[in-house]
Amino acid sequence: MQNSPGTSAAQASAATLQPMWMKDSMAKMDRELAAKYGEPQRPRILRGLHQIAEFWRTEDGDAAVYEEFVRSNFAGEQATIDTMFNRFERLLEQLDGHMHEINHEFRQQMDLDLGPVRPYDEVFGGYDPSAHIIDDFFQNKLAFTVLLNFPLTTLDERLKNGATWSRRQWAEVRLAERFSKRIPAEVNLGVAQAEAAAGQYISEYNIWMRHLLDSQGQRLFPPKMRLLSHWNLRDEIKADYADAQNGSAKQHMIQQVMERVVTQTIPKIVVNNPSVDWNPYTNEVKPAAVADSDSAPSAENVNSSREPDTRYAMLLKTFVASKKADPYSPTAPTLIARRFDEDREIPEVRVKAMLEQVLTSPLASQVAKLIESRLGRPLEPFDIWYNGFRPGSKYTEAQLDEIIGKKYPTAEAYQKDIPNLLMKLGFSPERAQYVASNIVVDPARGSGHAMGAEMRSEKAHLRTRVEMGGMNYKGFNIAVHEMGHNVEQTFSLNDVDHTLLKGVPNTAFTEALAFVFQGHDLELLGLPAPDAKSEAEKTLNDFWATYEIAGVALVDMAVWHWMYDHPQATPKQLNEATVQISKDIWNRYYAPVFHKNDVVLLGIYSHMIDHFLYLPDYPIGHMIAHQIEEQMKKAGNIGLEFERMTKMGDVTPDLWMENATGHPVGPEALLVATQRALSHASQ
Ligand SMILES: [Zn+2]
């Protein structure tokens, strides 16, 4: 965002950090280098000098130190530029790779099924040996060497010119980008502390469901049910569709609880507290009449005074901490810009337009009608979490468990079968062998995950869980997903032409690619692929989830803008603003479909409080997944397409997607698939 609020203020404070002598020394070095290397090098010289000036501080050295540094580190001829580029590329691969290997080893005990985790294992696992690299590289001036010779770019430039850049130019851009910020350690620490405090607040925000009373004093929820806001509350709404007797009453009650959280009219005393009963409609609180926890303390000072805007105080702290980094990030001078221009690399205006395209699509009311007909009633606001679109299967989970348990009694059996599985997905025998030789299967402690390498001499790890009786269907389904990650990780590291371009544009891409594999798990077992009806259900489920989370993302975005526009706001004011924003977005996009106004549910997401404008990643992820899926269908051969797409590496999402599918990132593929799904879905 070039015009984000706060931009001019950020620039002003960055300028005041510059030493007094800088201007004169820059002019002097400009003359000197131009005389030495000739007029054609002038633009590079000026660019390098300006890029250094953005970050040079008094403690980096006086004018003499600066001038000597520039004199000896400017590469003014193609041969010296090439040498420098190649050296940095090779050594940074080694640095990233070895740091990652330390991490990989240090996490081993926590990640793998290797017996008890000791307290020191957790400390090893939490340690990040690379945490201070950027600071170190500014201190030893390697960062300045890069900034003197390679271009910092804005997202605008990458989007406008990126398609015409050579691969080498792209690699140079990514090299410089590593040093586009020089955030002081204490500012980073402040961000980490605000994040930890908000995370802690969220992680303890439980509602004891047995203690919720309806107007008849009835308890609708079972004993010992403790639900974390918002994830568990939302998932309980989903589960309650299956409860014909009390489901609807429970869903209404959870909605009421969520609204009280968003508006902060929730009594402070009921949060994470099994010693009180609460009627969320009247807000009456009483000492608990039933014991639902062995450790519940007896209730003291029972009253219904509301939570004092703590939710928004937490959010404000993350904002205040983030804002302190603004002056040190000249090419992305707000948290909003850093999220969209650097992390996502899709401009905020375009993201907003894509979300609105989904939200205003006539498909929304068509899917809504289908849901109403399946539910046999008009929609309620909590139906944004409707979960009745389910792909059917010819096989029961027990049947699948049996087939898979026989096939894969151990993790080794799965490892051995990887080349075979890849050939079923269309990889040639030679490519399948090659990829398989770069994947190591480990027994996971949890459900499973993929850990790629960061240098070409190392392998990707597939962590999967195999029970005593052999692998079950859930484990297989996850292993296939993780294998998709590993295959992407292998191509995008080992087969991309520059290691500075390793990877994919962002996590939405790697997830989308992994889901392509996962969606074909039945065929990998030699069973028939899901039929059109089953696929239609899956697509409708994706559409409805995207429709829901698109509104949530717009709330997240609007709230961050409001904070930048009101940097002095109190938690109470932020509360009022968030409630109003949630209502406005609901009224605009959902009220026409749900026929109810002023709903605040879109403000309930916990990630909004502790994740620094992360929520737009979800709907974009759904869109990307459908674009890749449609392309795979069109191409017919997953193996070849997968390799072709992933060798593109870490360029902007739009450029990657243009190369992959012929179109930039957008919701069209999802909308087309939804339209098609509607014609296959039964009432
Ligand atoms: Zn994944």
Side-chain angles (χ1 to χ4, degrees):
M1 286 290 290
Q2 297 306 301
N3 303 319
S4 289
T7 304
S8 53
Q11 276 163 355
S13 38
T16 59
L17 297 165
Q18 216 172 72
M20 300 282 285
W21 46 262
M22 182 57 86
K23 262 208 169 107
D24 293 339
S25 284
M26 279 170 77
K28 182 176 165 193
M29 293 320 292
D30 174 28
R31 283 192 303 275
E32 195 180 312
L33 294 177
K36 186 168 175 190
Y37 295 109
E39 201 53 29
Q41 282 295 325
R42 205 69 205 294
R44 279 193 71 239
I45 294 168
L46 285 173
R47 184 190 72 200
L49 294 175
H50 277 109
Q51 289 182 174
I52 289 195
E54 291 274 12
F55 299 99
W56 194 282
R57 309 276 175 264
T58 312
E59 62 268 26
D60 295 316
D62 58 17
V65 172
Y66 165 82
E67 289 168 18
E68 186 45 38
F69 173 83
V70 170
R71 200 171 285 127
S72 45
N73 285 287
F74 181 74
E77 285 136 11
Q78 197 54 47
T80 48
I81 299 172
D82 291 349
T83 303
M84 183 185 282
F85 172 82
N86 290 331
R87 191 97 83 247
F88 270 89
E89 177 160 60
R90 193 180 83 78
L91 294 180
L92 289 176
E93 183 201 348
Q94 294 302 309
L95 180 69
D96 293 350
H98 283 99
M99 286 297 166
H100 178 76
E101 287 311 309
I102 293 176
N103 234 311
H104 165 213
E105 291 289 342
F106 278 22
R107 291 192 57 86
Q108 198 100 301
Q109 192 64 26
M110 288 176 71
D111 286 345
L112 301 188
D113 191 13
L114 297 172
V117 174
R118 309 291 177 196
Y120 50 83
D121 290 317
E122 290 184 28
V123 180
F124 273 117
Y127 176 71
D128 177 6
S130 64
H132 304 291
I133 287 178
I134 298 294
D135 285 344
D136 293 346
F137 272 46
F138 272 104
Q139 221 156 57
N140 65 21
K141 300 197 172 54
L142 283 170
F144 286 117
T145 303
V146 170
L147 292 168
L148 182 58
N149 290 285
F150 301 106
L152 281 180
T153 54
T154 59
L155 176 62
D156 208 36
E157 291 167 316
R158 295 195 288 283
L159 293 177
K160 251 190 218 133
N161 310 324
T164 64
W165 288 341
S166 67
R167 297 288 292 176
R168 161 74 181 262
Q169 278 176 298
W170 260 107
E172 290 187 3
V173 162
R174 290 307 193 211
L175 171 57
E177 234 165 57
R178 287 176 179 238
F179 307 106
S180 64
K181 286 190 279 294
R182 188 185 190 182
I183 298 172
E186 70 270 17
V187 174
N188 278 329
L189 185 65
V191 172
Q193 283 168 342
E195 184 175 16
Q200 179 80 10
Y201 168 78
I202 291 299
S203 73
E204 291 173 351
Y205 209 98
N206 290 298
I207 304 295
W208 288 78
M209 304 304 282
R210 186 68 174 161
H211 293 286
L212 299 187
L213 303 178
D214 70 8
S215 47
Q216 276 86 47
Q218 307 241 49
R219 296 172 200 277
L220 299 174
F221 295 93
K224 308 277 178 210
M225 184 184 254
R226 197 183 64 159
L227 299 183
L228 185 65
S229 179
H230 73 283
W231 299 278
N232 297 156
L233 291 171
R234 176 200 63 191
D235 290 347
E236 177 61 23
I237 286 180
K238 291 182 178 219
D240 287 336
Y241 284 106
D243 179 351
Q245 204 193 342
N246 280 332
S248 170
K250 289 197 278 190
Q251 288 169 324
H252 277 98
M253 189 176 267
I254 294 174
Q255 179 180 327
Q256 178 70 18
V257 170
M258 286 175 157
E259 288 173 348
R260 293 227 178 258
V261 173
V262 174
T263 56
Q264 291 282 279
T265 53
I266 185 170
K268 181 175 188 283
I269 199 168
V270 308
V271 178
N272 206 18
N273 187 357
S275 60
V276 289
D277 287 338
W278 172 40
N279 176 332
Y281 296 99
T282 62
N283 239 359
E284 189 191 355
V285 182
K286 300 183 287 201
V290 298
D292 190 41
S293 161
D294 308 330
S295 57
S298 59
E300 280 169 37
N301 297 324
V302 174
N303 65 68
S304 49
S305 60
R306 68 181 196 95
E307 187 180 17
D309 303 314
T310 317
R311 180 179 175 83
Y312 299 100
M314 290 292 160
L315 175 56
L316 261 187
K317 272 190 191 150
T318 69
F319 162 71
V320 170
S322 305
K323 196 170 185 307
K324 291 201 172 124
D326 292 354
Y328 308 101
S329 174
T331 44
T334 63
L335 185 281
I336 301 170
R338 290 191 283 284
R339 274 287 176 263
F340 285 97
D341 295 5
E342 294 184 342
D343 302 338
R344 293 189 184 102
E345 291 199 292
I346 308 176
E348 187 185 6
V349 280
R350 271 202 57 221
V351 170
K352 195 162 176 241
M354 292 191 279
L355 301 179
E356 286 169 347
Q357 202 179 331
V358 172
L359 288 166
T360 57
S361 162
L363 293 169
S365 57
Q366 293 176 40
V367 176
K369 283 210 182 70
L370 180 59
I371 295 174
E372 286 184 333
S373 87
R374 286 192 183 181
L375 290 172
R377 60 163 172 80
L379 288 188
E380 293 286 344
F382 56 76
D383 290 319
I384 53 174
W385 293 301
Y386 174 74
N387 79 337
F389 295 120
R390 297 250 181 89
S393 172
K394 285 200 184 74
Y395 300 88
T396 65
E397 192 147 333
Q399 286 171 317
L400 292 171
D401 284 349
E402 207 191 314
I403 297 171
I404 292 159
K406 273 196 198 125
K407 207 167 174 197
Y408 303 118
T410 60
E412 295 80 66
Y414 184 88
Q415 165 109 47
K416 267 180 82 181
D417 202 34
I418 290 178
N420 203 8
L421 295 175
L422 293 177
M423 286 191 290
K424 284 188 183 150
L425 289 169
F427 290 88
S428 70
E430 179 263 325
R431 293 315 270 165
Q433 275 305 338
Y434 161 74
V435 177
S437 71
N438 276 293
I439 300 175
V440 180
V441 178
D442 302 321
R445 184 180 291 278
S447 63
H449 62 272
M451 184 186 259
E454 295 286 329
M455 61 182 176
R456 289 178 176 173
S457 55
E458 292 296 330
K459 295 175 194 299
H461 289 258
L462 193 168
R463 271 74 188 268
T464 180
R465 193 174 176 84
V466 177
E467 306 297 338
M468 287 299 278
M471 207 179 234
N472 57 27
Y473 176 66
K474 273 207 180 77
F476 175 73
N477 181 266
I478 292 171
V480 172
H481 174 97
E482 305 305 340
M483 185 170 71
H485 281 308
N486 288 144
V487 176
E488 174 268 296
Q489 288 158 350
T490 299
F491 286 133
S492 70
L493 171 65
N494 297 24
D495 296 83
V496 70
D497 46 6
H498 284 285
T499 53
L500 285 168
L501 292 174
K502 68 178 179 243
V504 289
N506 58 47
T507 45
F509 287 79
T510 179
E511 288 308 327
L513 290 160
F515 280 121
V516 168
F517 268 47
Q518 194 174 2
H520 290 269
D521 64 338
L522 292 181
E523 290 132 281
L524 291 179
L525 295 170
L527 304 175
D531 59 15
K533 203 173 149 196
S534 171
E535 240 184 84
E537 292 286 310
K538 190 190 153 295
T539 299
L540 291 171
N541 187 56
D542 286 349
F543 173 81
W544 198 245
T546 310
Y547 174 65
E548 175 254 340
I549 200 77
V552 172
L554 285 182
V555 171
D556 200 12
M557 288 156 67
V559 165
W560 273 88
H561 274 283
W562 189 89
M563 290 192 290
Y564 265 101
D565 291 342
H566 303 85
Q568 311 295 338
T570 62
K572 184 169 185 292
Q573 289 167 325
L574 178 58
N575 179 358
E576 287 159 5
T578 305
V579 167
Q580 193 54 49
I581 287 167
S582 302
K583 284 184 189 171
D584 288 346
I585 289 174
W586 177 276
N587 290 345
R588 184 149 181 194
Y589 300 110
Y590 298 85
V593 172
F594 285 77
H595 307 294
K596 288 214 160 81
N597 282 312
D598 290 341
V599 175
V600 300
L601 281 185
L602 298 171
I604 190 61
Y605 268 67
S606 292
H607 275 341
M608 194 174 83
I609 305 305
D610 69 342
H611 260 58
F612 302 82
L613 197 43
Y614 169 78
L615 288 166
D617 279 359
Y618 287 117
I620 301 169
H622 284 294
M623 296 175 199
I624 288 171
H626 274 270
Q627 287 184 283
I628 292 176
E629 233 171 74
E630 291 286 312
Q631 176 62 26
M632 294 289 180
K633 266 189 211 136
K634 222 193 304 175
N637 182 318
I638 292 175
L640 285 174
E641 277 303 277
F642 205 92
E643 182 166 355
R644 182 183 72 80
M645 288 178 181
T646 50
K647 276 156 70 171
M648 189 71 178
D650 179 19
V651 293
T652 52
D654 282 337
L655 191 54
W656 194 101
M657 197 57 92
E658 290 266 8
N659 174 69
T661 70
H663 300 281
V665 173
E668 290 79 10
L670 170 65
L671 298 179
V672 167
T674 304
Q675 181 80 64
R676 195 171 59 218
L678 274 170
S679 64
H680 284 289
S682 52
Q683 293 289 301

